[in-house]
Amino acid sequence: MLLTKEQQDNIVDVLIDYGLVDINAAKKVYAEVVKSGQPILAALKARGVATDDCIQHATAVVVNSPYVDLRYVRFDKKDLLRIPQEVAERSRVIPLNVKDGHLYVAVLDPTNIQRVDYVTNLVHMPVRVVMTSDAGIDNALMQYVADLKDVDRAAEREEKEIGGNNDEAQTITQDSPISKALSSILDYAAKSKASDIHIEPLEKSLVIRCRVDGVLRKVMELPKSIEPALISRIKIMSRLKIDEHRIPQDGQFTVAVNDNKIDLRIAISPVVWGEQVVIRLLDKTGTAMKVESMGMTGRALRDVTLGISKPNGMILTSGPTGSGKSTTLYALVQKIKSEEINIVTLEDPVEYKMDGVNQIQVNVDAGLTFASGLRSILRQDPDVVLVGEIRDSETAGLAVQAALTGHLVFSTLHTNSAAGILPRLIDMGIEPFLIASTLNTVIGQRLVRRVGERRDALRSTEMETQEINSAIGQLLPKGPAEVGPVSDDLGYVNLPVANQQGYTLVKGINSDQQPGGFKGRAGIYETITVDEDIQKLIIAHATSADIMNVAKLKGTVTMRQDGFLKALNGITTLEEVNRVASDLA
């Protein structure tokens, strides 16, 4: 779309007014392009200040065109087929629906009259246009999957074609309907920010579910006849045995979505109605992580910052599977990374690639375990060591020895709370006095879904008010004069005064862009600094409950309390906190 300089300036104003860009960053780019003569919108996009979607949305406001975000929309096949796939791809136009005798279509440039006339003649009905982004059109185009009848017929044909050399089979099936169906599933999952894809065979169908923000939801149901060819296709790409159906198999491969490489970890298991496939998606671009943006605030952030500033000792994170422990460790490594120290990691698998960090992949088949790898790492002159997980007493012992000999050690343990780490290490055979002398900080964490941008405010019910007061009433300010210092200590600036009349909470509006009213996730945390009093409890073999009680007296905010504080600040909901932390005090 050709835009005048005045229109481009107006678009920048809209981006700033709507809070879609940082005003200081936009002004800096504007000052640069005044000298260079580069178009301001292209410069904002090239420097990462504004995304293409934000620019398109602001452009729609300036040119007075309706705008629709199609990035996460699931289309009805009959609506898409109103315009042939070849036309949609060539003209970048997506049919939406028919209303009041008009076909609504999404385009990049609503001022292109020739294209509108062409579509009008093609569909033999009047057309009305709305504006969208490139990413929205790409999402729609990938859903132009071949007709399921064609996929049915292809399934039997591909079973006969697949065989012999894996490379040859991949070439044979590259352009088949099965390949297109698999590409569609992977693209949809990647663009939806799904962490896992579940391909589950039932008696008469094949169900596809994606885990988005920690919750599984059904996205597709395919005919049963596609199953053998689809599973074989995944096995081929993962370099697995396509004729093995009796035992589980694990593999991996990499795909590119929007020029971003995503590692896929494949787990295939035989089940009653066939073979189930679980695909874990690991986005290799997600390395710009900060603990602050993940939800760590106040005292917890100060405890962790103090722990990682020490030259040696251990920082351990705990929580159930999928609670973001590894991501927290990566964020902490990013925080201390510099050219002056040697950071070596030992992981299974290496989930994110980080520049300036020496990362080692565990390979049990080759004899490279956490224990043997850790011995090798200690001979590489490291300053900081990250061990993906402490799984056994040998690894635990080596990690403690590394901390004792002047290294800063990061690792994770599977326990339910921060205090649970300490008895768990004792169970692994580590002497209490060694634990007491090496541990700097322990972290407990869970993940809650964030409430989306489109939301409603509501008043807490009587039961919810009692629950809030019971959990965090003693933490909330008692009056307006106390709001400042108390809020600062907890890390939240908008804490309400404790009361019995109710609190303002938020609830997201369910939509395709934010399923269930949620979009993204945040961590809820508890941290314990191992000071002299905690050391005495460890040496005395105190229980995790005793340790946590003392930590709370010293100011530790528990995970459940942190979750409730986030609910009061509009980050999440009480229901979400109770869903992930109902087992915690």
Side-chain angles (χ1 to χ4, degrees):
M1 184 188 305
L2 293 176
L3 297 167
T4 65
K5 184 179 184 303
E6 182 183 1
Q7 285 177 316
Q8 293 198 49
D9 289 343
N10 290 340
I11 291 168
V12 175
D13 290 339
V14 171
L15 288 170
I16 293 172
D17 291 343
Y18 280 39
L20 298 175
V21 297
D22 179 76
I23 185 170
N24 294 324
K27 286 181 177 179
K28 183 179 178 181
V29 173
Y30 197 88
E32 293 175 3
V33 301
V34 167
K35 298 177 182 178
S36 66
Q38 182 184 6
I40 179 64
L41 299 183
L44 289 173
K45 184 177 176 181
R47 290 162 176 75
V49 175
T51 65
D52 179 60
D53 298 284
C54 290
I55 291 173
Q56 283 290 95
H57 200 163
T59 303
V61 173
V62 171
V63 301
N64 197 28
S65 169
Y67 182 85
V68 59
D69 188 344
L70 300 180
R71 286 177 295 168
Y72 309 109
V73 174
R74 288 173 59 203
F75 290 88
D76 191 316
K77 191 67 176 290
K78 72 177 188 304
D79 289 329
L80 284 178
L81 294 178
R82 294 180 188 277
I83 294 178
Q85 180 179 358
E86 316 83 69
V87 176
E89 289 177 345
R90 184 176 64 251
S91 302
R92 305 290 285 174
V93 54
I94 302 299
L96 301 177
N97 53 34
V98 175
K99 187 176 180 182
D100 299 330
H102 290 77
L103 174 64
Y104 283 76
V105 297
V107 297
L108 296 176
D109 181 3
T111 64
N112 191 330
I113 305 301
Q114 290 179 325
R115 185 160 298 168
V116 175
D117 289 341
Y118 171 71
V119 174
T120 300
N121 293 329
L122 179 70
V123 299
H124 303 295
M125 64 189 307
V127 168
R128 288 186 176 172
V129 297
V130 297
M131 198 169 171
T132 191
S133 65
D134 268 315
I137 287 181
D138 288 338
N139 175 54
L141 289 175
M142 80 176 185
Q143 295 183 52
Y144 270 99
V145 185
D147 190 275
L148 291 181
K149 292 181 180 178
D150 294 336
V151 177
D152 284 342
R153 289 192 291 269
E156 183 177 353
R157 185 175 71 249
E158 288 206 11
E159 273 293 274
K160 295 177 181 178
E161 291 177 347
I162 292 170
N165 184 282
N166 277 358
D167 295 330
E168 181 183 354
Q170 188 161 349
T171 303
I172 290 172
T173 60
Q174 190 68 41
D175 298 320
S176 70
I178 298 297
S179 297
K180 291 179 180 178
L182 178 59
S183 295
S184 175
I185 293 168
L186 295 176
D187 285 349
Y188 179 82
K191 291 175 181 178
S192 301
K193 304 296 182 184
S195 60
D196 301 88
I197 303 169
H198 289 233
I199 301 175
E200 301 170 335
L202 304 180
E203 183 178 7
K204 297 180 180 178
S205 63
L206 189 67
V207 171
I208 313 297
R209 296 196 292 169
C210 290
R211 188 179 296 279
V212 179
D213 295 335
V215 177
L216 277 170
R217 56 192 178 99
K218 180 178 173 181
V219 298
M220 194 182 302
E221 188 164 345
L222 298 172
K224 183 71 173 176
S225 55
I226 196 179
E227 181 193 337
L230 184 63
I231 303 300
S232 294
R233 180 67 179 146
I234 293 171
K235 288 180 178 179
I236 286 169
M237 298 186 74
S238 309
R239 306 292 181 182
L240 301 177
K241 297 178 181 178
I242 62 173
D243 58 346
E244 179 58 77
H245 308 288
R246 301 165 300 169
I247 60 174
Q249 296 189 76
D250 296 328
Q252 61 184 35
F253 62 95
T254 302
V255 295
V257 178
N258 291 342
D259 298 326
N260 292 337
K261 287 188 177 180
I262 298 178
D263 281 338
L264 305 177
R265 286 162 48 197
I266 314 298
I268 301 178
S269 300
V271 293
V272 173
W273 298 114
E275 290 181 278
Q276 179 191 28
V277 180
V278 177
I279 303 175
R280 169 66 58 88
L281 290 83
L282 302 170
D283 191 341
K284 299 164 78 170
T285 63
T287 54
M289 294 169 286
K290 296 182 179 179
V291 286
E292 295 89 343
S293 62
M294 291 161 57
M296 190 177 288
T297 59
R299 184 187 180 90
L301 182 60
R302 290 198 297 275
D303 285 349
V304 170
T305 303
L306 177 63
I308 65 176
S309 65
K310 296 180 179 179
N312 54 58
M314 294 177 68
I315 313 291
L316 298 182
T317 67
S318 68
T321 301
S323 59
K325 300 186 298 296
S326 297
T327 306
T328 297
L329 291 187
Y330 281 118
L332 295 179
V333 167
Q334 288 274 40
K335 205 172 180 68
I336 64 171
K337 187 178 72 171
S338 78
E339 294 181 355
E340 299 175 355
I341 59 174
N342 178 25
I343 303 174
V344 185
T345 77
L346 184 63
E347 307 169 60
D348 184 22
V350 174
E351 296 191 12
Y352 301 105
K353 312 296 190 297
M354 291 193 293
D355 292 335
V357 177
N358 301 299
Q359 297 173 273
I360 300 173
Q361 169 90 41
V362 166
N363 187 341
V364 177
D365 293 337
L368 179 56
T369 63
F370 276 115
S372 63
L374 188 50
R375 287 194 188 91
S376 173
I377 284 176
L378 295 178
R379 294 192 289 270
Q380 295 176 22
D381 186 32
D383 297 290
V384 178
V385 177
L386 186 154
V387 183
E389 183 182 345
I390 295 178
R391 295 178 179 174
D392 52 50
S393 54
E394 185 179 10
T395 307
L398 287 168
V400 169
Q401 289 301 320
L404 282 172
T405 53
H407 303 90
L408 187 61
V409 179
F410 296 90
S411 194
T412 70
L413 268 177
H414 281 288
T415 63
N416 287 330
S417 64
I421 288 177
L422 308 172
R424 179 81 178 102
L425 287 173
I426 294 175
D427 289 341
M428 286 183 164
I430 307 301
E431 292 292 341
F433 72 89
L434 291 177
I435 299 172
S437 58
T438 55
L439 271 180
N440 295 346
T441 309
V442 291
I443 306 166
Q445 67 179 82
R446 304 278 172 95
L447 291 177
V448 294
R449 290 179 291 174
R450 291 180 183 267
V451 176
E453 293 178 0
R454 297 183 60 224
R455 55 176 63 186
D456 289 327
L458 63 155
R459 200 69 174 165
S460 62
T461 64
E462 184 179 347
M463 184 176 295
E464 288 172 337
T465 302
Q466 291 177 359
E467 190 177 20
I468 293 170
N469 285 330
S470 174
I472 59 173
Q474 72 278 17
L475 300 179
L476 297 177
K478 303 300 183 287
E482 194 184 354
V483 169
V486 173
S487 300
D488 179 65
D489 187 58
L490 296 174
Y492 300 99
V493 295
N494 297 316
L495 286 180
V497 174
N499 66 77
Q500 301 295 327
Q501 285 70 49
Y503 298 90
T504 300
L505 304 172
V506 296
K507 182 178 182 180
I509 299 172
N510 183 41
S511 67
D512 288 323
Q513 288 79 21
Q514 47 184 55
F518 298 99
K519 189 170 184 179
R521 289 193 286 180
I524 56 174
Y525 300 91
E526 63 186 21
T527 59
I528 300 176
T529 296
V530 182
D531 59 12
E532 196 171 316
D533 292 329
I534 300 296
Q535 287 176 343
K536 291 177 181 178
L537 290 173
I538 296 171
I539 293 172
H541 290 259
T543 65
S544 57
D546 292 336
I547 293 170
M548 180 51 80
N549 286 336
V550 171
K552 284 195 283 188
L553 291 175
K554 290 175 170 289
T556 288
V557 176
T558 68
M559 278 186 274
R560 197 154 188 265
Q561 290 174 329
D562 188 34
F564 276 41
L565 290 167
K566 284 182 167 63
L568 290 182
N569 267 257
I571 296 171
T572 188
T573 66
L574 293 180
E575 293 85 354
E576 185 66 8
V577 175
N578 287 329
R579 180 181 70 85
V580 303
S582 59
D583 60 322
L584 303 171

